[in-house]
Amino acid sequence: MIGSLPMLRGLTGFSRDWLRSDIPAGLSIAAVGLPSAIAYPAIAGLPPETGIYASIVAPIAYAIFGPSRLLIVGPDAASMSVLAAAMGAIVAADPTSGGDRVAIAAALALGVGVCYLVAKLLKLGVLASFLSRPILVGFFAGVSLSILVGQMGRFTGVKIESDGLISPLVEMLAKSSLIHWPSLILGLAMFALLWVVRLFPFRIPGPILVVIISVALSAIFDFRDQGIAVVGDIPRGLPSFFLPPFHEMPLDKLVIGSVAIFLVSFGSGIVAARSFASRTGDEVDANQELVGLGAANIAPGLFGSFPVSVSDSRTAINLSTGGVSQVAGLVSAAALIAVLVFLHGALRILPIPALAAILTMAAISLIDIPELKKIWRISRMEFVFALIAMWGAISFGVLNGVIVAIVATFVYLLRQTMFPRDGLLGRIEGRHGFFDLKRYSEARPVPGAAVFAVQGSILFYNADYVRIRLTSVAKELPADTKCLVLDASAITQIDSTGATALEAVAEILVKRSIIFAFADLSDESRAILERAGVIKMVGAENIFNGREEALRTLIGDIDQIGNAAPTGNAP
């Protein structure tokens, strides 16, 4: 039974009846995926057959090792842009030995696959959530602009040598007299066709129409003789085993590039996987996806291709056409093998401007304007971080843009936790629990005591802030205050710097003869405070299970306190 093998989870419970759905779905996936498989390699300066190879071997590997029934892997524009940047860094580091771009791409694919498997061993599926949705949206918008600029040469037939965003535009203006107008007209016409298909319902997807029409026109008018660039020779038949010469490549650049591609492809891939899973009611196991996507990258690396990720368009086609298992992915791979064998001549005369039109439309689809509007509406700060990620990809290049996106994520996380919510708590007559004195005007302090709550960890980057807040409270307590109770129920972690901060507060309270007590302190935090000597300073007898127990013991007055209030009542 196929379903009994854990490595074939995408085929669990396979039945012959599924073929009625999976075969049409697989053929549709191949039809939709073929144009992008030919076009996307151009982003990284790779020959078109590498995209077809990736679209053959990656789905086969994922069908064997991947956990999902419906996800389809393949080339995607964002990962290709990061790949192009990583390849550029490797070539620049050693121009004499880095000329074989196919070997570099294959080495990076293997590197990305190893990153996936290492992440699986370390159970780092949580990395899928590391790049937040706003930062991914902004980063992809920046990547799309880079892709759009990169298509100018393919549209116009002009060789653009400068990099970045503005420099290629300036160079294009300077070389405007060299524009090959038939190429530009063809490219714009195919782009217009894609827009028409996008605006009006067609049974045939736009990229397929573009390929069919442009190949037909190329055969009729002999575009190559007219000066319009075409794809040219594509190897016939199946991809062959290929082991990249790692010893000829700079290892540091290879590792950095692999990690960058891994972060972007896994982050965007899991976002896509969860989006599709929400439609089908399935759950996404990020740690198990690490295995499937790792295999889906190692396979192209061993057959002269490049890294892949979850393909939005192919997965969407699989869902819309009723695919029920990974058999659809296997059928799509078989169909592309047939294309290589039997439609080899048609692919040779496919015009490059038509591929530029497909890439341009793919790049535009990466700019998620509705999502940017939604982020703006929900959180201005998250919108700013989305713009930072976009600016990083545009200003520093795609590879450095990944670093900017990661740094922006760190800054965002730090900002969210650097100033933990806190406040003095009091009681409201006739109501149970404790309430923030600033939020509830009717709340009154507990006579003879102070209860202070901190919501968030006390770590090295915010310990000074917490110390200042607690110190200011300690210095302003009335002279008749017997104790200050720190409500630690929402403190998830304390490090050595946090322990030092609390020790400083304890010293101030000792000088004022005020007891410093802890309520609902976690075992982990208590262990840290014990090793730091804070528990010894305040006294182990002043560690309590809850606020009520602390007040009952220290001041003997629990009138109107009652049980702990719901979390929403505390700050």
Side-chain angles (χ1 to χ4, degrees):
M1 281 293 291
I2 287 176
S4 64
L5 298 176
M7 68 172 58
L8 295 172
R9 289 173 57 180
L11 301 174
T12 301
F14 176 76
S15 168
R16 290 184 180 179
D17 294 338
W18 292 4
L19 295 177
R20 299 176 184 176
S21 300
D22 281 336
I23 290 178
L27 294 175
S28 299
I29 293 167
V32 172
L34 179 62
S36 60
I38 299 172
Y40 284 178
I43 297 175
L46 295 168
E49 66 268 17
T50 57
I52 302 178
Y53 294 166
S55 300
I56 292 173
V57 298
I60 294 174
Y62 187 86
I64 297 173
F65 295 99
S68 172
R69 292 175 179 269
L70 298 176
L71 290 182
I72 304 296
V73 295
D76 74 294
S79 295
M80 290 303 300
S81 295
V82 185
L83 171 66
M87 291 174 62
I90 292 174
V91 172
D94 191 0
T96 58
S97 62
D100 189 348
R101 300 186 70 85
V102 172
I104 295 172
L108 285 167
L110 289 172
V112 172
V114 170
C115 286
Y116 273 107
L117 298 184
V118 170
K120 166 59 178 177
L121 291 175
L122 298 177
K123 297 183 179 180
L124 296 180
V126 68
L127 286 175
S129 303
F130 185 72
L131 291 175
S132 69
R133 178 64 176 167
I135 287 176
L136 277 175
V137 169
F139 176 76
F140 289 155
V143 166
S144 70
L145 293 177
S146 299
I147 295 174
L148 289 173
V149 171
Q151 303 317 304
M152 289 191 303
R154 298 185 181 96
F155 269 116
T156 62
V158 178
K159 185 177 181 180
I160 303 297
E161 299 177 350
S162 55
D163 297 322
L165 187 65
I166 304 301
S167 297
L169 295 173
V170 174
E171 183 180 353
M172 185 72 252
L173 290 174
K175 296 180 177 180
S176 58
S177 60
L178 302 178
I179 292 176
H180 188 256
W181 290 102
S183 296
L184 180 59
I185 292 171
L186 174 65
L188 293 177
M190 294 299 101
F191 181 70
L193 176 60
L194 289 170
W195 268 112
V196 170
V197 173
R198 189 174 182 177
L199 295 174
F200 301 98
F202 276 76
R203 294 183 65 85
I204 302 178
I208 297 177
L209 276 178
V210 165
V211 169
I212 293 173
I213 293 174
S214 62
V215 166
L217 292 175
S218 182
I220 294 171
F221 297 104
D222 196 359
F223 280 167
R224 190 166 190 172
D225 283 351
Q226 301 297 326
I228 298 176
V230 296
V231 168
D233 290 334
I234 293 179
R236 185 190 299 270
L238 298 175
S240 57
F241 182 81
F242 174 83
L243 190 62
F246 290 98
H247 63 282
E248 298 179 1
M249 303 176 195
L251 184 60
D252 57 337
K253 302 293 183 184
L254 193 62
V255 171
I256 292 172
S258 298
V259 171
I261 299 168
F262 160 71
L263 285 174
V264 172
S265 65
F266 186 46
S268 61
I270 292 298
V271 167
R274 287 172 175 164
S275 174
F276 287 113
S278 66
R279 305 181 196 178
T280 60
D282 296 330
E283 291 292 333
V284 175
D285 184 345
N287 279 309
Q288 191 59 38
E289 286 293 349
L290 287 166
V291 177
L293 292 174
N297 279 278
I298 289 175
L302 295 175
F303 287 91
S305 190
F306 51 77
V308 300
S309 184
V310 175
S311 172
D312 289 3
S313 59
R314 301 179 195 210
T315 304
I317 288 295
N318 191 28
L319 285 174
S320 63
T321 53
V324 294
S325 76
Q326 283 297 326
V327 169
L330 297 176
V331 171
S332 73
L336 290 176
I337 291 174
V339 168
L340 277 178
V341 174
F342 299 109
L343 296 180
H344 175 264
L347 296 180
R348 291 180 63 254
I349 61 173
L350 180 61
I352 295 298
L355 296 182
I358 294 172
L359 285 173
T360 299
M361 184 59 72
I364 291 174
S365 69
L366 286 177
I367 305 177
D368 196 339
I369 299 297
E371 186 67 20
L372 285 171
K373 290 181 178 178
K374 181 180 178 181
I375 294 169
W376 169 263
R377 186 173 65 252
I378 296 173
S379 171
R380 300 289 195 273
M381 183 54 65
E382 290 190 83
F383 183 80
V384 169
F385 279 99
L387 293 183
I388 290 173
M390 181 171 65
W391 167 76
I394 294 172
S395 301
F396 300 108
V398 174
L399 192 59
N400 290 330
V402 176
I403 298 174
V404 172
I406 293 172
V407 171
T409 300
F410 269 120
V411 172
Y412 177 71
L413 289 173
L414 286 174
R415 188 189 179 280
Q416 292 295 95
T417 57
M418 188 172 289
F419 306 105
R421 189 176 174 187
D422 58 41
L424 282 166
L425 306 184
R427 298 178 296 180
I428 297 177
E429 185 175 356
R431 295 179 64 179
H432 294 293
F434 292 84
F435 302 84
D436 189 346
L437 296 178
K438 288 187 176 180
R439 292 177 59 196
Y440 296 87
S441 58
E442 65 272 32
R444 295 291 179 267
V446 178
V451 180
F452 190 84
V454 175
Q455 289 193 340
S457 298
I458 307 177
L459 303 173
F460 63 95
Y461 56 85
N462 67 2
D464 202 45
Y465 169 80
V466 175
R467 178 187 61 78
I468 292 172
R469 290 283 295 130
L470 276 167
T471 298
S472 63
V473 169
K475 290 180 177 179
E476 295 173 3
L477 291 175
D480 62 345
T481 302
K482 297 179 181 179
C483 62
L484 171 61
V485 178
L486 177 62
D487 180 359
S489 58
I491 298 176
T492 56
Q493 191 176 4
I494 300 175
D495 66 3
S496 59
T497 309
T500 302
L502 295 175
E503 183 179 21
V505 176
E507 290 174 353
I508 293 173
L509 292 171
V510 167
K511 291 178 181 178
R512 296 200 57 190
S513 300
I514 297 175
I515 297 172
F516 191 20
F518 292 86
D520 204 7
L521 188 66
S522 69
D523 292 340
E524 295 80 4
S525 297
R526 177 166 182 165
I528 290 289
L529 295 182
E530 283 180 342
R531 290 195 291 270
V534 177
I535 299 297
K536 183 178 180 181
M537 176 180 289
V538 302
E541 69 278 6
N542 292 320
I543 309 300
F544 301 96
N545 290 327
R547 297 169 295 197
E548 294 81 5
E549 180 185 356
L551 293 175
R552 183 186 298 113
T553 303
L554 296 174
I555 64 174
D557 178 12
I558 59 170
D559 290 344
Q560 300 178 5
I561 295 176
N563 297 321
T567 303
N569 291 339

